[in-house]
Amino acid sequence: MSLQEQLKSLLKEIEPQIISWRRHLHQYPELSFQEEKTPAMIAEILRGLNLDEVRTKVGGRGVVGVLKGSRPGKVVALRADFDALPIHDQKDVPYKSTVPGVMHACGHDAHTSQLLGLASVLASHRDQFAGEIRFLFQHAEEESPGGAIQMTEDGAVDGVDAVFGVHLWSMLPVGKVFISSGPIMANTDDFVIEIKGRGGHGAVPEETVDSIVIGSQIVANLQTIASRNVSPLESVVVTVGTFHGGDNNNIIADSCRLTGTVRTFLPHVRDRAEQRLGEIAIGTAKMMGGEAIVSYERGYPAVINHEREAQIAREAAVAAFGPERVEPMKPLMGGEDFSYYLEKVPGAYLFVGAGNPDKLANYPHHHPRFDIDEDAMLIAGELLGRTALHYLETHQA
């Protein structure tokens, strides 16, 4: 039996350890760019596996483990993230976060634990594959500029031939995997619009320039970017998330502030959305006698899976789980800094269902009651392991 075929049973043997790691991380979460105990724990576990190399402080707080097979070959990188979110954990479970206002609400604890499990298994069977598998444990996925760009700049994927990652997804059913090529997650941009008017008493509006009315009109006009400035066959989302202005109920505010996000997939749509957002905000304010100052910041690029690598992952998934459990993944307007790896190296970002209402694992990501069906971790570990081994076997040097 090949190592690929053994992965399921090998991972099952250490499932209690994988779950234990995950629950420990869930109890002791750390925010982006503040991770200290988490990378130390990861490095300690990796050193215990007698890998060929364990690098710490990669790009700041990342950890990289290197495992070489019995013969020379290609190099595959597998990535997991390990930062948490500033959200208070409202679950009633034994492994509930012990840190007030901080929790793993996106599954990064599970990403890290399943990859540690896979590293454990593969390290014990290095004689059964050729090439190198590099385990990337990344900090700060949740907060721009993100840990991925820092790790790539620090050489994390230098010499890598292909890179793969998995996201456990609570809104997809456990037991299934989802793989597609092309755009899979969006460009994530943020904006701030500062509006200046002329304040005054609410009883004499004719003597004022009402910044809140201007802001309200800007919010409405920005929706024309999607309806009138971008093809209906292409995707764009413009969301105003905050609107702050005024201090008193009978005073017309002289200024207000809007913040929001723009999500796109294609470069020309991203350019067009940025251009039109500025024109609409500035033009609307000027038309109404005020002024708008726009700040637009580009965040993570879109995650665009490479066709060949996505196909390799699909073949590995079908071999592992059968064609009935492998489905295409619809693009998401959420963002992910895995995109920075894909800009450097061919690869694919894969999704594994982790939702199960029977286990209360049916809340969306970033929700205070977010959880996963822990069965998904073995599926994710097997998917990544089979994909890496399948790539190494089909690309022997």
Side-chain angles (χ1 to χ4, degrees):
M1 184 181 295
S2 71
L3 180 55
Q4 288 191 54
E5 294 169 325
Q6 296 177 63
L7 275 182
K8 187 189 301 291
S9 60
L10 292 171
L11 288 167
K12 186 65 177 178
E13 290 175 7
I14 62 168
E15 183 179 23
Q17 179 64 79
I18 295 172
I19 291 174
S20 176
W21 285 330
R22 185 258 168 166
R23 293 189 176 187
H24 176 85
L25 292 173
H26 201 87
Q27 288 182 283
Y28 302 99
E30 295 181 303
L31 293 173
S32 303
F33 300 109
Q34 299 178 34
E35 308 97 334
E36 294 181 359
K37 294 180 180 179
T38 304
M41 170 185 161
I42 293 167
E44 181 180 3
I45 293 169
L46 293 178
R47 291 191 183 103
L49 302 179
N50 295 316
L51 300 186
D52 295 275
E53 181 183 1
V54 177
R55 292 177 56 200
T56 60
K57 299 182 180 179
V58 181
R61 298 177 186 270
V63 181
V64 174
V66 176
L67 176 64
K68 295 182 179 180
S70 59
R71 305 176 305 282
K74 297 291 186 179
V75 181
V76 176
L78 305 176
R79 177 268 208 168
D81 38 17
F82 56 73
D83 57 324
L85 285 155
I87 298 171
H88 187 72
D89 194 348
Q90 296 181 11
K91 295 191 301 298
D92 183 17
V93 294
Y95 49 88
K96 179 178 179 178
S97 171
T98 62
V99 184
V102 182
M103 72 172 287
H104 276 288
C106 204
H108 297 184
D109 52 341
H111 297 169
T112 291
S113 301
Q114 60 85 10
L115 191 59
L116 286 171
L118 178 61
S120 301
V121 166
L122 293 177
S124 299
H125 296 79
R126 68 179 76 203
D127 60 323
Q128 296 185 44
F129 69 89
E132 176 185 315
I133 298 177
R134 196 175 301 181
F135 303 97
L136 312 180
F137 293 89
Q138 181 204 309
H139 61 297
E141 185 278 327
E142 296 287 1
E143 184 176 332
S144 183
I149 192 169
Q150 296 179 334
M151 289 186 68
T152 59
E153 290 173 348
D154 199 13
V157 292
D158 288 358
V160 169
D161 297 296
V163 61
F164 299 93
V166 163
H167 204 313
L168 299 178
W169 206 253
S170 66
M171 304 312 290
L172 296 171
V174 68
K176 291 193 173 185
V177 301
F178 301 82
I179 303 169
S180 290
S181 59
I184 198 69
M185 298 189 81
N187 299 300
T188 58
D189 301 338
D190 296 326
F191 64 86
V192 178
I193 303 174
E194 303 280 357
I195 301 166
K196 297 180 180 181
R198 185 173 65 251
H201 200 285
V204 284
E206 71 276 11
E207 296 179 1
T208 72
V209 175
D210 193 332
S211 65
I212 290 180
V213 171
I214 294 172
S216 300
Q217 194 64 52
I218 289 174
V219 172
N221 290 347
L222 289 179
Q223 302 313 308
T224 64
I225 295 174
S227 65
R228 288 297 177 267
N229 298 138
V230 173
S231 167
L233 302 179
E234 297 171 334
S235 300
V236 61
V237 172
V238 180
T239 295
V240 177
T242 69
F243 191 143
H244 297 287
D247 298 305
N248 295 286
N249 69 311
N250 65 343
I251 299 297
I252 291 174
D254 63 355
S255 65
C256 68
R257 187 174 191 264
L258 312 179
T259 68
T261 186
V262 178
R263 305 298 173 101
T264 57
F265 288 113
L266 301 175
H268 73 273
V269 176
R270 190 183 204 183
D271 293 342
R272 180 64 168 158
E274 179 180 357
Q275 173 195 348
R276 289 299 292 144
L277 185 140
E279 292 172 347
I280 288 170
I282 292 169
T284 301
K286 183 177 181 181
M287 176 185 71
M288 301 179 72
E291 179 186 3
I293 301 172
V294 179
S295 174
Y296 193 99
E297 182 176 352
R298 294 197 173 198
Y300 299 158
V303 176
I304 302 175
N305 285 344
H306 296 250
E307 174 61 40
R308 184 180 65 170
E309 285 65 31
Q311 179 59 31
I312 287 170
R314 193 177 298 112
E315 291 169 359
V318 169
F321 313 114
E324 69 282 358
R325 291 173 60 188
V326 181
E327 298 183 9
M329 182 65 190
K330 294 180 180 179
L332 300 169
M333 297 308 285
E336 238 286 354
D337 69 349
F338 191 81
S339 53
Y340 290 115
Y341 301 112
L342 294 179
E343 288 185 339
K344 293 268 188 180
V345 179
Y349 199 50
L350 320 172
F351 288 79
V352 168
N356 186 346
D358 294 336
K359 297 183 179 180
L360 299 182
N362 58 339
Y363 291 94
H365 293 249
H366 296 210
H367 190 283
R369 294 186 181 276
F370 172 85
D371 207 351
I372 63 160
D373 185 331
E374 292 175 326
D375 291 347
M377 291 192 291
L378 293 195
I379 297 171
E382 184 180 2
L383 174 61
L384 273 183
R386 278 185 173 256
T387 298
L389 294 171
H390 184 43
Y391 182 92
L392 293 175
E393 288 179 4
T394 55
H395 294 78
Q396 292 190 17

PDB file of all heavy atoms in Angstrom, residues 358-386:
ATOM      1  N   ASP A 358     -25.522  19.265  13.906  1.00  0.00           N
ATOM      2  CA  ASP A 358     -25.667  18.362  15.046  1.00  0.00           C
ATOM      3  C   ASP A 358     -24.601  18.604  16.112  1.00  0.00           C
ATOM      4  O   ASP A 358     -24.782  18.226  17.276  1.00  0.00           O
ATOM      5  CB  ASP A 358     -25.611  16.908  14.596  1.00  0.00           C
ATOM      6  CG  ASP A 358     -26.795  16.529  13.710  1.00  0.00           C
ATOM      7  OD1 ASP A 358     -27.843  17.200  13.814  1.00  0.00           O
ATOM      8  OD2 ASP A 358     -26.663  15.573  12.923  1.00  0.00           O
ATOM      9  N   LYS A 359     -23.497  19.211  15.709  1.00  0.00           N
ATOM     10  CA  LYS A 359     -22.420  19.532  16.648  1.00  0.00           C
ATOM     11  C   LYS A 359     -22.328  21.033  16.894  1.00  0.00           C
ATOM     12  O   LYS A 359     -21.308  21.518  17.412  1.00  0.00           O
ATOM     13  CB  LYS A 359     -21.083  18.993  16.123  1.00  0.00           C
ATOM     14  CG  LYS A 359     -21.035  17.474  16.002  1.00  0.00           C
ATOM     15  CD  LYS A 359     -19.663  16.996  15.551  1.00  0.00           C
ATOM     16  CE  LYS A 359     -19.606  15.477  15.448  1.00  0.00           C
ATOM     17  NZ  LYS A 359     -18.268  14.991  15.011  1.00  0.00           N
ATOM     18  N   LEU A 360     -23.368  21.779  16.529  1.00  0.00           N
ATOM     19  CA  LEU A 360     -23.420  23.242  16.658  1.00  0.00           C
ATOM     20  C   LEU A 360     -22.287  23.912  15.886  1.00  0.00           C
ATOM     21  O   LEU A 360     -21.834  25.002  16.245  1.00  0.00           O
ATOM     22  CB  LEU A 360     -23.381  23.653  18.136  1.00  0.00           C
ATOM     23  CG  LEU A 360     -24.545  23.136  19.003  1.00  0.00           C
ATOM     24  CD1 LEU A 360     -24.405  23.647  20.434  1.00  0.00           C
ATOM     25  CD2 LEU A 360     -25.890  23.553  18.419  1.00  0.00           C
ATOM     26  N   ALA A 361     -21.845  23.256  14.846  1.00  0.00           N
ATOM     27  CA  ALA A 361     -20.799  23.813  13.989  1.00  0.00           C
ATOM     28  C   ALA A 361     -21.436  24.334  12.706  1.00  0.00           C
ATOM     29  O   ALA A 361     -21.128  23.879  11.604  1.00  0.00           O
ATOM     30  CB  ALA A 361     -19.746  22.763  13.676  1.00  0.00           C
ATOM     31  N   ASN A 362     -22.343  25.276  12.869  1.00  0.00           N
ATOM     32  CA  ASN A 362     -23.037  25.825  11.706  1.00  0.00           C
ATOM     33  C   ASN A 362     -23.129  27.344  11.760  1.00  0.00           C
ATOM     34  O   ASN A 362     -23.949  27.945  11.076  1.00  0.00           O
ATOM     35  CB  ASN A 362     -24.440  25.218  11.595  1.00  0.00           C
ATOM     36  CG  ASN A 362     -25.281  25.450  12.835  1.00  0.00           C
ATOM     37  OD1 ASN A 362     -24.762  25.710  13.910  1.00  0.00           O
ATOM     38  ND2 ASN A 362     -26.592  25.344  12.682  1.00  0.00           N
ATOM     39  N   TYR A 363     -22.277  27.969  12.578  1.00  0.00           N
ATOM     40  CA  TYR A 363     -22.211  29.428  12.609  1.00  0.00           C
ATOM     41  C   TYR A 363     -21.172  29.909  11.607  1.00  0.00           C
ATOM     42  O   TYR A 363     -20.162  29.236  11.368  1.00  0.00           O
ATOM     43  CB  TYR A 363     -21.848  29.919  14.012  1.00  0.00           C
ATOM     44  CG  TYR A 363     -22.950  29.699  15.021  1.00  0.00           C
ATOM     45  CD1 TYR A 363     -22.963  28.551  15.816  1.00  0.00           C
ATOM     46  CD2 TYR A 363     -23.971  30.627  15.183  1.00  0.00           C
ATOM     47  CE1 TYR A 363     -23.970  28.336  16.751  1.00  0.00           C
ATOM     48  CE2 TYR A 363     -24.991  30.426  16.111  1.00  0.00           C
ATOM     49  CZ  TYR A 363     -24.977  29.271  16.889  1.00  0.00           C
ATOM     50  OH  TYR A 363     -25.980  29.067  17.802  1.00  0.00           O
ATOM     51  N   PRO A 364     -21.374  31.091  11.024  1.00  0.00           N
ATOM     52  CA  PRO A 364     -20.427  31.572  10.019  1.00  0.00           C
ATOM     53  C   PRO A 364     -19.096  31.968  10.641  1.00  0.00           C
ATOM     54  O   PRO A 364     -18.983  32.180  11.852  1.00  0.00           O
ATOM     55  CB  PRO A 364     -21.143  32.791   9.421  1.00  0.00           C
ATOM     56  CG  PRO A 364     -22.074  33.249  10.487  1.00  0.00           C
ATOM     57  CD  PRO A 364     -22.519  32.004  11.193  1.00  0.00           C
ATOM     58  N   HIS A 365     -18.108  32.077   9.801  1.00  0.00           N
ATOM     59  CA  HIS A 365     -16.788  32.520  10.243  1.00  0.00           C
ATOM     60  C   HIS A 365     -16.873  33.932  10.817  1.00  0.00           C
ATOM     61  O   HIS A 365     -17.642  34.768  10.349  1.00  0.00           O
ATOM     62  CB  HIS A 365     -15.804  32.458   9.078  1.00  0.00           C
ATOM     63  CG  HIS A 365     -15.542  31.054   8.632  1.00  0.00           C
ATOM     64  ND1 HIS A 365     -14.332  30.416   8.815  1.00  0.00           N
ATOM     65  CD2 HIS A 365     -16.345  30.129   8.040  1.00  0.00           C
ATOM     66  CE1 HIS A 365     -14.401  29.179   8.352  1.00  0.00           C
ATOM     67  NE2 HIS A 365     -15.622  28.991   7.872  1.00  0.00           N
ATOM     68  N   HIS A 366     -16.074  34.182  11.841  1.00  0.00           N
ATOM     69  CA  HIS A 366     -16.012  35.456  12.560  1.00  0.00           C
ATOM     70  C   HIS A 366     -17.248  35.685  13.427  1.00  0.00           C
ATOM     71  O   HIS A 366     -17.500  36.803  13.871  1.00  0.00           O
ATOM     72  CB  HIS A 366     -15.785  36.642  11.610  1.00  0.00           C
ATOM     73  CG  HIS A 366     -14.481  36.596  10.891  1.00  0.00           C
ATOM     74  ND1 HIS A 366     -13.792  37.724  10.478  1.00  0.00           N
ATOM     75  CD2 HIS A 366     -13.695  35.550  10.498  1.00  0.00           C
ATOM     76  CE1 HIS A 366     -12.671  37.378   9.872  1.00  0.00           C
ATOM     77  NE2 HIS A 366     -12.591  36.047   9.866  1.00  0.00           N
ATOM     78  N   HIS A 367     -18.005  34.647  13.697  1.00  0.00           N
ATOM     79  CA  HIS A 367     -19.155  34.722  14.596  1.00  0.00           C
ATOM     80  C   HIS A 367     -18.698  34.318  16.002  1.00  0.00           C
ATOM     81  O   HIS A 367     -17.852  33.426  16.147  1.00  0.00           O
ATOM     82  CB  HIS A 367     -20.267  33.778  14.115  1.00  0.00           C
ATOM     83  CG  HIS A 367     -21.569  33.937  14.820  1.00  0.00           C
ATOM     84  ND1 HIS A 367     -21.791  33.429  16.085  1.00  0.00           N
ATOM     85  CD2 HIS A 367     -22.723  34.552  14.456  1.00  0.00           C
ATOM     86  CE1 HIS A 367     -23.025  33.717  16.467  1.00  0.00           C
ATOM     87  NE2 HIS A 367     -23.614  34.395  15.500  1.00  0.00           N
ATOM     88  N   PRO A 368     -19.225  34.932  17.062  1.00  0.00           N
ATOM     89  CA  PRO A 368     -18.780  34.594  18.425  1.00  0.00           C
ATOM     90  C   PRO A 368     -19.096  33.161  18.864  1.00  0.00           C
ATOM     91  O   PRO A 368     -18.566  32.706  19.877  1.00  0.00           O
ATOM     92  CB  PRO A 368     -19.501  35.617  19.305  1.00  0.00           C
ATOM     93  CG  PRO A 368     -20.604  36.160  18.475  1.00  0.00           C
ATOM     94  CD  PRO A 368     -20.135  36.096  17.061  1.00  0.00           C
ATOM     95  N   ARG A 369     -19.948  32.451  18.127  1.00  0.00           N
ATOM     96  CA  ARG A 369     -20.213  31.048  18.440  1.00  0.00           C
ATOM     97  C   ARG A 369     -19.618  30.104  17.393  1.00  0.00           C
ATOM     98  O   ARG A 369     -19.970  28.923  17.336  1.00  0.00           O
ATOM     99  CB  ARG A 369     -21.726  30.808  18.562  1.00  0.00           C
ATOM    100  CG  ARG A 369     -22.354  31.524  19.748  1.00  0.00           C
ATOM    101  CD  ARG A 369     -23.816  31.144  19.921  1.00  0.00           C
ATOM    102  NE  ARG A 369     -24.432  31.846  21.035  1.00  0.00           N
ATOM    103  CZ  ARG A 369     -24.372  31.478  22.310  1.00  0.00           C
ATOM    104  NH1 ARG A 369     -23.717  30.379  22.628  1.00  0.00           N
ATOM    105  NH2 ARG A 369     -24.953  32.180  23.255  1.00  0.00           N
ATOM    106  N   PHE A 370     -18.707  30.619  16.604  1.00  0.00           N
ATOM    107  CA  PHE A 370     -18.090  29.803  15.551  1.00  0.00           C
ATOM    108  C   PHE A 370     -17.419  28.560  16.133  1.00  0.00           C
ATOM    109  O   PHE A 370     -16.745  28.612  17.164  1.00  0.00           O
ATOM    110  CB  PHE A 370     -17.048  30.627  14.793  1.00  0.00           C
ATOM    111  CG  PHE A 370     -16.225  29.819  13.819  1.00  0.00           C
ATOM    112  CD1 PHE A 370     -16.691  29.586  12.543  1.00  0.00           C
ATOM    113  CD2 PHE A 370     -15.004  29.279  14.199  1.00  0.00           C
ATOM    114  CE1 PHE A 370     -15.938  28.823  11.641  1.00  0.00           C
ATOM    115  CE2 PHE A 370     -14.241  28.522  13.311  1.00  0.00           C
ATOM    116  CZ  PHE A 370     -14.724  28.298  12.039  1.00  0.00           C
ATOM    117  N   ASP A 371     -17.606  27.451  15.446  1.00  0.00           N
ATOM    118  CA  ASP A 371     -16.918  26.209  15.787  1.00  0.00           C
ATOM    119  C   ASP A 371     -16.873  25.351  14.532  1.00  0.00           C
ATOM    120  O   ASP A 371     -17.510  25.669  13.512  1.00  0.00           O
ATOM    121  CB  ASP A 371     -17.634  25.475  16.914  1.00  0.00           C
ATOM    122  CG  ASP A 371     -16.688  24.582  17.735  1.00  0.00           C
ATOM    123  OD1 ASP A 371     -15.533  24.403  17.324  1.00  0.00           O
ATOM    124  OD2 ASP A 371     -17.123  24.066  18.775  1.00  0.00           O
ATOM    125  N   ILE A 372     -16.121  24.264  14.593  1.00  0.00           N
ATOM    126  CA  ILE A 372     -16.032  23.332  13.465  1.00  0.00           C
ATOM    127  C   ILE A 372     -16.331  21.921  13.951  1.00  0.00           C
ATOM    128  O   ILE A 372     -16.232  21.623  15.141  1.00  0.00           O
ATOM    129  CB  ILE A 372     -14.634  23.348  12.813  1.00  0.00           C
ATOM    130  CG1 ILE A 372     -13.581  22.876  13.831  1.00  0.00           C
ATOM    131  CG2 ILE A 372     -14.298  24.710  12.237  1.00  0.00           C
ATOM    132  CD1 ILE A 372     -12.295  22.407  13.222  1.00  0.00           C
ATOM    133  N   ASP A 373     -16.713  21.075  13.023  1.00  0.00           N
ATOM    134  CA  ASP A 373     -16.741  19.637  13.276  1.00  0.00           C
ATOM    135  C   ASP A 373     -15.299  19.154  13.167  1.00  0.00           C
ATOM    136  O   ASP A 373     -14.682  19.230  12.092  1.00  0.00           O
ATOM    137  CB  ASP A 373     -17.635  18.942  12.248  1.00  0.00           C
ATOM    138  CG  ASP A 373     -17.793  17.454  12.526  1.00  0.00           C
ATOM    139  OD1 ASP A 373     -16.877  16.852  13.104  1.00  0.00           O
ATOM    140  OD2 ASP A 373     -18.836  16.886  12.135  1.00  0.00           O
ATOM    141  N   GLU A 374     -14.745  18.688  14.264  1.00  0.00           N
ATOM    142  CA  GLU A 374     -13.324  18.328  14.291  1.00  0.00           C
ATOM    143  C   GLU A 374     -12.998  17.148  13.383  1.00  0.00           C
ATOM    144  O   GLU A 374     -11.812  16.905  13.089  1.00  0.00           O
ATOM    145  CB  GLU A 374     -12.888  18.065  15.724  1.00  0.00           C
ATOM    146  CG  GLU A 374     -12.887  19.337  16.558  1.00  0.00           C
ATOM    147  CD  GLU A 374     -12.564  19.106  18.024  1.00  0.00           C
ATOM    148  OE1 GLU A 374     -12.959  18.041  18.558  1.00  0.00           O
ATOM    149  OE2 GLU A 374     -11.928  19.981  18.635  1.00  0.00           O
ATOM    150  N   ASP A 375     -14.001  16.423  12.906  1.00  0.00           N
ATOM    151  CA  ASP A 375     -13.740  15.369  11.918  1.00  0.00           C
ATOM    152  C   ASP A 375     -13.108  15.939  10.654  1.00  0.00           C
ATOM    153  O   ASP A 375     -12.403  15.227   9.925  1.00  0.00           O
ATOM    154  CB  ASP A 375     -15.041  14.652  11.544  1.00  0.00           C
ATOM    155  CG  ASP A 375     -15.605  13.815  12.686  1.00  0.00           C
ATOM    156  OD1 ASP A 375     -14.883  13.585  13.679  1.00  0.00           O
ATOM    157  OD2 ASP A 375     -16.780  13.401  12.583  1.00  0.00           O
ATOM    158  N   ALA A 376     -13.366  17.216  10.396  1.00  0.00           N
ATOM    159  CA  ALA A 376     -12.850  17.848   9.183  1.00  0.00           C
ATOM    160  C   ALA A 376     -11.334  17.945   9.175  1.00  0.00           C
ATOM    161  O   ALA A 376     -10.724  18.034   8.101  1.00  0.00           O
ATOM    162  CB  ALA A 376     -13.466  19.232   9.007  1.00  0.00           C
ATOM    163  N   MET A 377     -10.720  17.930  10.346  1.00  0.00           N
ATOM    164  CA  MET A 377      -9.272  18.082  10.390  1.00  0.00           C
ATOM    165  C   MET A 377      -8.554  16.906   9.732  1.00  0.00           C
ATOM    166  O   MET A 377      -7.544  17.090   9.040  1.00  0.00           O
ATOM    167  CB  MET A 377      -8.799  18.269  11.827  1.00  0.00           C
ATOM    168  CG  MET A 377      -9.220  19.599  12.431  1.00  0.00           C
ATOM    169  SD  MET A 377      -8.387  19.976  13.990  1.00  0.00           S
ATOM    170  CE  MET A 377      -9.106  18.753  15.076  1.00  0.00           C
ATOM    171  N   LEU A 378      -9.046  15.685   9.956  1.00  0.00           N
ATOM    172  CA  LEU A 378      -8.415  14.526   9.311  1.00  0.00           C
ATOM    173  C   LEU A 378      -8.619  14.562   7.807  1.00  0.00           C
ATOM    174  O   LEU A 378      -7.739  14.156   7.038  1.00  0.00           O
ATOM    175  CB  LEU A 378      -8.975  13.228   9.888  1.00  0.00           C
ATOM    176  CG  LEU A 378      -8.661  12.913  11.347  1.00  0.00           C
ATOM    177  CD1 LEU A 378      -8.961  11.449  11.646  1.00  0.00           C
ATOM    178  CD2 LEU A 378      -7.221  13.236  11.706  1.00  0.00           C
ATOM    179  N   ILE A 379      -9.777  15.048   7.377  1.00  0.00           N
ATOM    180  CA  ILE A 379     -10.032  15.170   5.938  1.00  0.00           C
ATOM    181  C   ILE A 379      -9.070  16.175   5.329  1.00  0.00           C
ATOM    182  O   ILE A 379      -8.466  15.922   4.275  1.00  0.00           O
ATOM    183  CB  ILE A 379     -11.495  15.580   5.694  1.00  0.00           C
ATOM    184  CG1 ILE A 379     -12.437  14.486   6.204  1.00  0.00           C
ATOM    185  CG2 ILE A 379     -11.742  15.855   4.210  1.00  0.00           C
ATOM    186  CD1 ILE A 379     -13.894  14.885   6.199  1.00  0.00           C
ATOM    187  N   ALA A 380      -8.894  17.312   5.996  1.00  0.00           N
ATOM    188  CA  ALA A 380      -7.984  18.335   5.491  1.00  0.00           C
ATOM    189  C   ALA A 380      -6.547  17.841   5.477  1.00  0.00           C
ATOM    190  O   ALA A 380      -5.798  18.079   4.521  1.00  0.00           O
ATOM    191  CB  ALA A 380      -8.103  19.606   6.337  1.00  0.00           C
ATOM    192  N   GLY A 381      -6.152  17.135   6.533  1.00  0.00           N
ATOM    193  CA  GLY A 381      -4.794  16.610   6.576  1.00  0.00           C
ATOM    194  C   GLY A 381      -4.537  15.599   5.477  1.00  0.00           C
ATOM    195  O   GLY A 381      -3.485  15.626   4.824  1.00  0.00           O
ATOM    196  N   GLU A 382      -5.505  14.711   5.257  1.00  0.00           N
ATOM    197  CA  GLU A 382      -5.345  13.726   4.190  1.00  0.00           C
ATOM    198  C   GLU A 382      -5.322  14.388   2.824  1.00  0.00           C
ATOM    199  O   GLU A 382      -4.522  14.023   1.946  1.00  0.00           O
ATOM    200  CB  GLU A 382      -6.460  12.685   4.245  1.00  0.00           C
ATOM    201  CG  GLU A 382      -6.276  11.573   3.213  1.00  0.00           C
ATOM    202  CD  GLU A 382      -7.360  10.526   3.250  1.00  0.00           C
ATOM    203  OE1 GLU A 382      -8.303  10.653   4.061  1.00  0.00           O
ATOM    204  OE2 GLU A 382      -7.274   9.569   2.440  1.00  0.00           O
ATOM    205  N   LEU A 383      -6.187  15.386   2.628  1.00  0.00           N
ATOM    206  CA  LEU A 383      -6.223  16.091   1.341  1.00  0.00           C
ATOM    207  C   LEU A 383      -4.879  16.757   1.052  1.00  0.00           C
ATOM    208  O   LEU A 383      -4.327  16.608  -0.055  1.00  0.00           O
ATOM    209  CB  LEU A 383      -7.342  17.121   1.342  1.00  0.00           C
ATOM    210  CG  LEU A 383      -7.412  18.036   0.110  1.00  0.00           C
ATOM    211  CD1 LEU A 383      -7.648  17.234  -1.159  1.00  0.00           C
ATOM    212  CD2 LEU A 383      -8.496  19.096   0.294  1.00  0.00           C
ATOM    213  N   LEU A 384      -4.341  17.484   2.027  1.00  0.00           N
ATOM    214  CA  LEU A 384      -3.056  18.152   1.806  1.00  0.00           C
ATOM    215  C   LEU A 384      -1.934  17.142   1.604  1.00  0.00           C
ATOM    216  O   LEU A 384      -1.078  17.317   0.721  1.00  0.00           O
ATOM    217  CB  LEU A 384      -2.723  19.050   2.999  1.00  0.00           C
ATOM    218  CG  LEU A 384      -3.270  20.476   2.983  1.00  0.00           C
ATOM    219  CD1 LEU A 384      -2.777  21.235   4.198  1.00  0.00           C
ATOM    220  CD2 LEU A 384      -2.860  21.215   1.709  1.00  0.00           C
ATOM    221  N   GLY A 385      -1.929  16.093   2.407  1.00  0.00           N
ATOM    222  CA  GLY A 385      -0.873  15.093   2.282  1.00  0.00           C
ATOM    223  C   GLY A 385      -0.915  14.371   0.958  1.00  0.00           C
ATOM    224  O   GLY A 385       0.118  14.192   0.295  1.00  0.00           O
ATOM    225  N   ARG A 386      -2.082  13.937   0.547  1.00  0.00           N
ATOM    226  CA  ARG A 386      -2.202  13.248  -0.748  1.00  0.00           C
ATOM    227  C   ARG A 386      -1.851  14.189  -1.898  1.00  0.00           C
ATOM    228  O   ARG A 386      -1.227  13.768  -2.887  1.00  0.00           O
ATOM    229  CB  ARG A 386      -3.620  12.699  -0.923  1.00  0.00           C
ATOM    230  CG  ARG A 386      -3.870  11.352  -0.232  1.00  0.00           C
ATOM    231  CD  ARG A 386      -5.255  10.845  -0.556  1.00  0.00           C
ATOM    232  NE  ARG A 386      -5.517   9.505  -0.078  1.00  0.00           N
ATOM    233  CZ  ARG A 386      -5.530   8.411  -0.850  1.00  0.00           C
ATOM    234  NH1 ARG A 386      -5.261   8.506  -2.138  1.00  0.00           N
ATOM    235  NH2 ARG A 386      -5.816   7.227  -0.339  1.00  0.00           N
TER     236      ARG A 386
END
